[in-house]
Amino acid sequence: MGDKAAAGHGDELRKRWRGTRRTPGTSWYVDETYLKVRGRWTYLYRAIDSDGNLVDAMLSAHRDMRAAKAFFRSARATMGFRPSRVTTAGHGSYPRAIGSVLGKTVRHRTSAYLNNRLEQDHCGIKGRIRCMRGTG
């Protein structure tokens, strides 16, 4: 699946907002998960803020520097500002992508434990995709 074709799916996901806060927070939690979309395995990049509001989502055929940079450019354009802090689980391309796209002043934290809120948020998506999980 090309990244351009996947962009349409990201637009649908981007419309999903949760929480009561109207303006998104300046602390973002970013992670990616691997899932099957229309029979093809793709990476779903997602970012939420500290209140659990969806900042941005993007489907990509690849999990590399180019995809990470594209995701951060999209998230920055969608929100209209740069976050003060980004927390990731530690994929190797994130530090350089954050530095080049969001700037050197953005604090990057790498911790699987601090990023647990987004890891748990993936369960909702995986639950909708794998309706029969746990039975078989």
Side-chain angles (χ1 to χ4, degrees):
M1 173 182 291
D3 289 336
K4 289 182 181 179
H9 296 292
D11 292 338
E12 294 172 16
L13 291 170
R14 207 174 282 124
K15 292 176 185 175
R16 293 179 174 261
W17 282 82
R18 291 194 336 234
T20 58
R21 192 172 176 181
R22 291 184 183 264
T23 59
T26 59
S27 180
W28 294 354
Y29 297 85
V30 178
D31 196 25
E32 73 283 337
T33 189
Y34 202 48
L35 49 89
K36 195 178 272 194
V37 177
R38 294 185 182 175
R40 301 189 87 157
W41 286 100
T42 60
Y43 290 96
L44 172 64
Y45 283 82
R46 297 179 64 228
I48 60 172
D49 67 4
S50 54
D51 290 333
N53 294 316
L54 182 65
V55 171
D56 200 9
M58 180 187 89
L59 288 170
S60 174
H62 303 283
R63 182 181 180 225
D64 56 6
M65 177 66 68
R66 185 173 163 197
K69 284 183 177 181
F71 175 70
F72 285 117
R73 276 193 298 272
S74 174
R76 185 184 66 196
T78 300
M79 290 295 106
F81 65 87
R82 293 182 173 131
S84 61
R85 178 174 64 198
V86 176
T87 304
T88 66
H91 185 263
S93 62
Y94 283 141
R96 290 186 302 166
I98 290 169
S100 66
V101 175
L102 299 178
K104 303 287 184 195
T105 59
V106 175
R107 183 173 163 217
H108 178 224
R109 298 186 307 171
T110 303
S111 172
Y113 301 109
L114 293 173
N115 214 21
N116 197 38
R117 70 180 67 213
L118 185 55
E119 295 289 347
Q120 291 302 312
D121 202 41
H122 285 321
C123 293
I125 290 174
K126 299 267 184 162
R128 285 191 293 273
I129 292 170
R130 298 183 201 156
C131 297
M132 298 299 286
R133 90 176 159 187
T135 60

